[in-house]
């Protein structure tokens, strides 16, 4: 068990029926900084397979078929959840966990909202492009937020 869990480390498999959620529970669960998707490197018949498993989605849908049975030598990795950054005229500037399908309006609320001196007009997003450069985007409240976006809230002129 590696990554963003309460107690990373090696865990013995109790019997032949230890599944993913059992071992996650032994490790204290996914930490607040952990991603919903868990990567399992499963060793079966001398071959390694990579499985991406969205743990909360298993319970939302009721489909526990992805709650795989683990075997000796399997590795579970929980990576850090994606984040976005917000600064300028917001109550609490900083880095925050990016939730699925989050909009700029939701991101502003996570940052405590716009200050008395701020405005939600003229919002800017600095976004990294696939080639590694940055582009500056005029943002609307309904625009989606992407991983590592930097949202800037400017000061109102009036």
């Amino acid at each position: 068990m590696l990554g963003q869990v309460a107690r990373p480390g090696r865990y013995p498999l109790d019997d032949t029926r230890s599944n993913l959620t059992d071992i996650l529970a032994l490790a204290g669960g996914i930490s607040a900084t952990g991603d919903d998707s868990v990567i399992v490197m499963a060793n079966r018949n001398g071959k390694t397979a990579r499985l991406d498993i969205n743990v909360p989605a298993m319970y939302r849908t009721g489909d526990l078929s992805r709650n795989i049975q683990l075997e000796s030598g399997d590795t579970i990795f929980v990576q850090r959840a994606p984040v976005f950054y917000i600064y300028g005229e917001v109550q609490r500037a900083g880095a925050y966990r990016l939730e699925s399908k989050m909009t700029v309006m939701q991101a502003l609320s996570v940052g405590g909202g716009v200050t008395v001196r701020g405005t939600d007009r003229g919002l800017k997003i600095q976004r990294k492009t696939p080639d590694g450069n940055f582009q500056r985007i005029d943002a609307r409240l309904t625009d989606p937020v992407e991983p590592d976006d930097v949202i800037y809230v400017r000061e109102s002129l009036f």
Side-chain angles (χ1 to χ4, degrees):
M1 177 64 62
L2 302 171
Q4 304 298 310
V5 292
R7 292 181 302 278
R10 296 171 78 80
Y11 289 90
L13 301 178
D14 291 340
D15 56 16
T16 59
R17 302 289 304 160
S18 294
N19 55 22
L20 174 63
T21 54
D22 293 335
I23 302 302
L24 279 172
L26 282 175
I30 298 172
S31 69
T33 58
D35 197 7
D36 289 342
S37 289
V38 173
I39 299 168
V40 178
M41 300 302 286
N43 293 308
R44 303 291 183 272
N45 302 323
K47 295 184 180 180
T48 302
R50 176 191 161 118
L51 305 169
D52 289 323
I53 301 170
N54 187 315
V55 177
M58 278 193 313
Y59 290 100
R60 275 195 306 271
T61 62
D63 178 15
L64 297 179
S65 65
R66 302 282 293 170
N67 191 14
I68 65 168
Q69 183 175 339
L70 298 174
E71 295 180 10
S72 181
D74 289 352
T75 302
I76 303 166
F77 177 69
V78 180
Q79 62 189 0
R80 185 174 296 277
V83 295
F84 70 93
Y85 306 88
I86 189 165
Y87 76 105
E89 293 299 326
V90 290
Q91 300 292 333
R92 293 183 308 276
Y96 295 97
R97 179 186 173 121
L98 179 63
E99 300 296 333
S100 177
K101 299 178 184 175
M102 181 177 266
T103 64
V104 172
M105 182 183 298
Q106 292 166 327
L108 285 174
S109 70
V110 169
V114 177
T115 65
V116 177
R117 295 179 11 189
T119 180
D120 60 7
R121 291 185 305 268
L123 296 169
K124 302 284 185 195
I125 294 178
Q126 185 168 320
R127 181 171 290 158
K128 195 172 196 175
T129 59
D131 62 2
N133 294 320
F134 288 93
Q135 68 181 36
R136 207 163 169 86
I137 303 167
D138 292 328
R140 295 185 316 266
L141 292 174
T142 56
D143 288 347
V145 179
E146 295 182 8
D148 297 321
D149 274 359
V150 180
I151 302 170
Y152 172 69
V153 180
R154 68 183 184 94
E155 187 175 1
S156 175
L157 299 175
F158 298 99

